[in-house]
Amino acid sequence: MMGEGGNMDSAPVRAAEFFAGIGLVRTALERVKGAQVQVVWANDIKQAKYNAYAANFPDAEDHFIVRDIRQVEAMDLPQGIELATSSFPCIDLSLAGNRRGLVGEQSGMFWEFAKIVEGMSPRPSVVLLENVHGFATSHGGNDLAAALARLSKLGYSLDVLAIDARHFVPQSRPRMFIVGIQKDKLPASAPQELPPISDVRPAWVQAIHKKHRETLDMHYMRLPALPEGPQDLDGFVETEVAGNLWWTEDRVAAFIGSLSELQKARFDALVGADAISYRTAYRRTRQGVAVWELRKDSIAGCLRTTGGGSSKQALIRLGNGSRAIRWMTPREYANLMGAHDYKLLAGTPNQQLFGFGDAVVVDVVEWLGNNYLLPVLRPNNGSE
């Protein structure tokens, strides 16, 4: 396929980032082999997220539109978009949310994304959607079925897969992805049959394919095995922070006092260990009482948007008879989202925590870019 002035295979993939947030999808796509993806348009409704994005991407003012997506039209996008990404809000789909599904005020923004794609000419060759696993079960699976049907009507063959970010960073963050490829762009390497069970397509994902393959165009791409991922927080936590970030002894005592017997035994064992280790903890409500719970493993729980104490994650440093506790920092959130080099120049600490908790893990999207998106969009340009 030829573009103006040259071979399309040698030109960067032109991408549009819907629900761009603080720009971690762009961060990931720019790491794809040979910088072969270029984000040329982005949108989000929140000025604070634009500010963080602009602090990291000086060209933001040229292509980032701060606007409610319901006020965005296809004509607002530049021509030649080949890839459209959409990490639309998950609050109505998440098990921790209100479960209103795609009729909800937030997650219902999927329909606005689809409406814009419908109006684009030509439509993007590939769309990449990301959301929580709860999307698969929302309203008994009917929300996902409706979304897949809508994308199918736009000419896309569809693939569903699931990736937990813990394969790349020490954070448990399971997410579901939908990849749509325009049917005339579907490569021969994408079988239109039931995918085998694998680490990216466990049995529940295979069941989605099986349910819809008779009525919709479905495919899958053969992908390499996911890496094992780090097993602890070394290299991701800040070992030197201001002393006033660590909790007072009274607050630490209150934390310990809220632990169950099992949790307290786990805590004490780590305090008595010869080596320093880190654990994370969330505040939960059990039988109407607020308690703290440590993770069994040495990685972080899923980072969330900050909206109260239960949504923030505490970091515990234990060992050699000592213990210290504090809230996790924005830099640690950035590291756990695969954005070690992200500049924390804009917004308050809470806005920064919110931005990362609402984002995608860079390494996951980069892996999809290298192993899935680029082989489809630039099959003759050295991608494997």
Side-chain angles (χ1 to χ4, degrees):
M1 179 179 178
M2 296 293 292
E4 291 185 7
N7 187 341
M8 180 62 81
D9 281 341
S10 65
V13 172
R14 288 169 61 82
E17 187 182 2
F18 290 79
F19 311 101
I22 62 173
L24 295 199
V25 167
R26 174 172 174 174
T27 301
L29 294 178
E30 290 189 346
R31 294 184 187 177
V32 170
K33 296 173 184 173
Q36 294 183 69
V37 182
Q38 178 184 13
V39 173
V40 298
W41 185 89
N43 165 253
D44 201 276
I45 193 174
K46 294 188 176 181
Q47 182 67 36
K49 291 186 176 180
Y50 167 82
N51 293 342
Y53 185 109
N56 284 270
F57 304 107
D59 63 347
E61 63 181 14
D62 299 329
H63 71 273
F64 193 119
I65 299 176
V66 182
R67 188 183 303 168
D68 188 324
I69 193 173
R70 290 170 290 192
Q71 305 302 318
V72 175
E73 299 182 8
M75 67 180 67
D76 295 325
L77 278 76
Q79 290 293 307
I81 299 295
E82 300 174 77
L83 169 65
T85 68
S86 174
S87 296
F88 62 99
C90 69
I91 187 62
D92 300 305
L93 300 169
S94 170
L95 296 177
N98 57 43
R99 297 294 275 173
R100 292 193 65 210
L102 292 186
V103 301
E105 178 73 13
Q106 300 296 318
S107 299
M109 293 300 102
F110 163 80
W111 303 114
E112 301 299 324
F113 165 74
K115 182 176 71 173
I116 295 169
V117 171
E118 181 176 27
M120 296 173 70
S121 181
R123 291 171 186 157
S125 300
V126 176
V127 293
L128 173 68
L129 286 76
E130 176 263 357
N131 217 288
V132 294
H133 283 188
F135 192 11
T137 56
S138 177
H139 290 161
N142 290 334
D143 284 334
L144 177 60
L148 293 176
R150 180 74 171 100
L151 294 171
S152 180
K153 288 182 179 179
L154 297 179
Y156 291 99
S157 176
L158 303 162
D159 188 7
V160 179
L161 54 159
I163 301 176
D164 192 329
R166 68 184 305 160
H167 289 279
F168 300 90
V169 295
Q171 178 196 172
S172 174
R173 194 179 186 86
R175 290 294 185 266
M176 187 176 78
F177 294 86
I178 299 172
V179 181
I181 303 175
Q182 282 288 315
K183 295 166 191 175
D184 62 347
K185 302 291 178 63
L186 193 67
S189 58
Q192 293 179 281
E193 56 191 47
L194 192 66
I197 291 177
S198 66
D199 54 3
V200 296
R201 296 186 189 85
W204 67 269
V205 171
Q206 187 193 62
I208 293 171
H209 280 261
K210 186 174 182 179
K211 177 180 178 180
H212 297 289
R213 61 191 299 266
E214 298 299 327
T215 56
L216 305 175
D217 288 289
M218 303 288 292
H219 71 273
Y220 74 95
M221 287 281 283
R222 297 181 178 92
L223 297 168
L226 293 171
E228 182 178 352
Q231 302 301 305
D232 56 47
L233 293 164
D234 287 350
F236 289 80
V237 299
E238 293 189 276
T239 56
E240 297 183 14
V241 297
N244 62 356
L245 292 181
W246 295 102
W247 293 357
T248 64
E249 186 59 34
D250 287 349
R251 194 172 183 183
V252 171
F255 174 98
I256 296 172
S258 82
L259 299 175
S260 68
E261 288 187 18
L262 178 63
Q263 292 277 324
K264 179 66 163 53
R266 184 181 300 157
F267 184 93
D268 289 343
L270 291 168
V271 169
D274 292 334
I276 295 291
S277 64
Y278 291 91
R279 291 292 189 275
T280 60
Y282 270 122
R283 191 162 54 200
R284 310 288 195 191
T285 300
R286 304 297 187 196
Q287 299 179 336
V289 178
V291 299
W292 282 95
E293 294 182 354
L294 278 70
R295 282 188 65 89
K296 294 179 182 179
D297 54 24
S298 302
I299 68 173
C302 185
L303 302 182
R304 302 175 184 173
T305 55
T306 49
S310 62
S311 64
K312 293 175 67 176
Q313 209 159 164
L315 181 72
I316 302 96
R317 186 182 67 198
L318 306 166
N320 291 328
S322 68
R323 71 276 196 287
I325 305 173
R326 61 172 171 79
W327 295 117
M328 297 188 78
T329 66
R331 171 51 57 197
E332 288 164 343
Y333 267 48
N335 294 345
L336 289 168
M337 296 301 290
H340 289 264
D341 299 326
Y342 196 89
K343 301 180 183 69
L344 301 173
L345 301 176
T348 66
N350 271 341
Q351 287 174 326
Q352 293 167 351
L353 295 175
F354 189 101
F356 288 113
D358 200 31
V360 301
V361 171
V362 171
D363 306 70
V364 174
V365 176
E366 180 185 5
W367 186 87
L368 283 169
N370 283 325
N371 295 291
Y372 201 133
L373 306 179
L374 204 59
V376 171
L377 291 163
R378 293 292 182 271
N380 301 315
N381 201 23
S383 57
E384 297 177 354

